[in-house]
Amino acid sequence: MNESDFIFKNKISLEGFSEWISPSNIALIKYWGKQKNQIPKNPSLSFTLSKSTTKTKVTYGPRLNNKDDFSLDFLFNGKPEPSFVPKIEMFLNRIVRYIPYIKNHHFKIESQNSFPHSSGIASSASSMSSISLGILEVEKKYNTSMTRDFFLKKASFLARLGSGSASRSIYGPISVWGKNSSYKDSSDYYAVDIGNRVNEVFLKYQNTILLVDKSKKKISSTKGHELMETNPYAFERFNQAKKNLKEFKKALSSGDIDNFIKIVESEALSLHGLMLTSNPYFILFKPETLSIINKIWDFRNETKCPICFTLDAGANVHLLYPIEYKKIALKFIKENLLVFCQNGKYINDMVGLGSKKNK
Ligand code: PMV
């Protein structure tokens, strides 16, 4: 599908509300570097999570005096949150071309996260995807023949314009965003669900998030993507991600956990390597992050338990393991890794089925 297929042309005036719950996701093949209009420099693939979610209620109604700006109330955890408004307004500016009705409606957007806001877990994927789904409900109410497939694609398309990784949170348990030769139906404009193309071992994969540092990132992902424009390793990195995705596809479909681990850990370290080699350079991991990684490697060598790690753009560590190792992994985590977490905090999550409508 083309970008122009997502432009809605009718003038509508409706009222109503909807509520969507969208999960966060953790990339295994990382997106880092983009072109204009939120087009990724390389394809990415992620596990959609299950418990780490944002619930968003979108209430809308016709706007009486039509002005050129947006009419928006945004509440986070029941309270006005002015610091989020510029990001949402930027998002609305990007999507107005595709859903012009956001100018002649008033929107009240009320969001709540299931995880603590200041946990260092990126909430842009879950929040932008839930807001997109809610706002797109207006078009769906008008166009009653809209298919579920198109609705989700367009929601993913809109979410991408808020935050690239948000495009992947629409679907679960595993999705791919960014045109590539490994998945023929992939697109730079929206994510696709590849859950039915992977071995069943990955459909119940566990993700324990160790909260090493809960403070706000010193460098935003927007800035990080931008720095890829001058990173001397950028070209090689974009090729590496494409090659990794090809190999990863094989590991995912055959259930080859050894290769899964090799690619996942290499992708995590490559992402942070790009940060180390940016100009200006920066470091987002902490000494505790490295201690955890070393403990995981020792434990895996000694026990052959196939537990591995990935990192997002921050210091927290995402541990990944098959569900049948849950007991032994949790024992290891509690006894050896919680000492590296801020206030011993962690979140036990697992892959989930994507966004769902609540009301
Ligand atoms: O969606 P953004 O613009 O916040 O970028 C996300 C970048 C990473 O989380 C580091 C990787 C990814 O693919 O999710």
Side-chain angles (χ1 to χ4, degrees):
M1 282 183 84
N2 281 321
E3 185 242 358
S4 56
D5 296 330
F6 293 103
I7 301 176
F8 178 69
K9 295 201 179 87
N10 298 336
K11 188 146 174 63
I12 55 172
S13 182
L14 295 167
E15 65 182 303
F17 75 92
S18 71
E19 189 171 276
W20 278 84
I21 299 179
S22 275
S24 181
N25 68 70
I26 179 69
L28 306 177
I29 304 290
K30 309 287 183 183
Y31 149 60
W32 200 242
K34 62 179 164 188
Q35 312 170 47
K36 254 181 82 190
N37 300 330
Q38 300 272 99
I39 299 299
K41 284 279 197 180
N42 65 259
S44 56
L45 178 151
S46 54
F47 275 167
T48 306
L49 300 184
S50 150
K51 286 196 221 153
S52 308
T53 58
T54 302
K55 180 162 83 182
T56 298
K57 181 176 177 189
V58 174
T59 312
Y60 53 91
R63 212 177 154 187
L64 301 177
N65 34 2
N66 233 334
K67 294 203 189 108
D68 208 35
D69 57 354
F70 298 109
S71 178
L72 172 77
D73 292 323
F74 179 70
L75 302 181
F76 185 71
N77 290 338
K79 290 193 224 105
E81 188 52 77
S83 66
F84 288 7
V85 173
K87 193 159 187 195
I88 296 182
E89 284 188 340
M90 186 175 80
F91 171 53
L92 298 182
N93 269 314
R94 287 181 184 165
I95 62 175
V96 66
R97 175 173 147 76
Y98 308 99
I99 45 171
Y101 59 79
I102 50 175
K103 278 258 163 98
N104 64 304
H105 284 82
H106 173 78
F107 284 93
K108 184 175 177 194
I109 299 177
E110 298 165 89
S111 285
Q112 261 168 279
N113 286 350
S114 68
F115 49 92
H117 168 50
S118 55
S119 59
I121 301 184
S123 60
S124 58
S126 52
S127 59
M128 287 298 170
S129 51
S130 59
I131 294 173
S132 300
L133 287 155
I135 294 180
L136 191 58
E137 284 279 353
V138 185
E139 182 177 330
K140 189 165 153 247
K141 190 166 179 165
Y142 172 81
N143 178 4
T144 46
S145 60
M146 186 191 284
T147 62
R148 183 177 158 76
D149 181 62
F150 180 80
F151 177 76
L152 295 179
K153 255 190 192 126
K154 184 159 177 180
S156 175
F157 176 95
L158 297 176
R160 178 196 106 242
L161 293 166
S163 163
S165 55
S167 64
R168 300 186 310 243
S169 275
I170 301 293
Y171 301 105
I174 306 178
S175 51
V176 167
W177 166 50
K179 186 85 199 129
N180 64 84
S181 55
S182 305
Y183 294 96
K184 299 282 180 244
D185 52 341
S186 59
S187 167
D188 281 342
Y189 297 122
Y190 48 82
V192 293
D193 181 4
I194 58 152
N196 57 2
R197 289 172 254 181
V198 306
N199 186 282
E200 62 180 353
V201 67
F202 298 113
L203 301 179
K204 289 195 176 144
Y205 233 66
Q206 302 294 299
N207 177 208
T208 301
I209 312 165
L210 302 180
L211 304 176
V212 168
D213 184 16
K214 298 195 252 162
S215 57
K216 205 171 169 296
K217 278 186 281 187
K218 280 171 200 71
I219 300 269
S220 66
S221 55
T222 307
K223 183 77 191 154
H225 290 294
E226 199 184 299
L227 290 175
M228 285 305 282
E229 283 162 30
T230 53
N231 188 302
Y233 301 102
F235 181 76
E236 278 310 319
R237 160 60 196 160
F238 303 139
N239 282 333
Q240 178 203 32
K242 286 173 205 155
K243 276 191 213 133
N244 278 347
L245 181 63
K246 205 168 179 185
E247 285 308 303
F248 204 54
K249 183 184 178 188
K250 289 185 209 156
L252 283 179
S253 52
S254 63
D256 179 347
I257 293 182
D258 287 344
N259 269 326
F260 171 91
I261 291 176
K262 275 190 199 138
I263 298 169
V264 166
E265 292 189 344
S266 165
E267 276 287 314
L269 296 176
S270 296
L271 170 70
H272 284 257
L274 294 168
M275 298 171 191
L276 302 182
T277 51
S278 285
N279 180 13
Y281 44 79
F282 60 103
I283 301 179
L284 294 183
F285 54 74
K286 296 277 176 204
E288 291 81 0
T289 313
L290 300 183
S291 301
I292 291 171
I293 291 175
N294 280 307
K295 290 270 179 201
I296 292 169
W297 284 341
D298 290 345
F299 180 72
R300 198 164 73 217
N301 273 338
E302 281 157 24
T303 63
K304 306 289 167 233
C305 167
I307 182 168
C308 71
F309 72 87
T310 187
L311 306 168
D312 205 357
N316 295 337
V317 185
H318 288 248
L319 301 184
L320 299 165
Y321 47 93
I323 192 165
E324 56 269 36
Y325 288 90
K326 190 170 177 177
K327 211 168 154 197
I328 158 168
L330 285 179
K331 185 170 185 292
F332 160 65
I333 291 166
K334 284 181 188 151
E335 287 172 4
N336 300 279
L337 303 184
L338 294 192
V339 34
F340 301 112
C341 299
Q342 234 179 34
N343 308 323
K345 288 262 171 16
Y346 67 105
I347 296 173
N348 263 332
D349 211 330
M350 66 178 288
V351 296
L353 292 174
S355 300
K356 57 175 188 287
K357 192 168 175 174
N358 209 31
K359 279 180 196 158

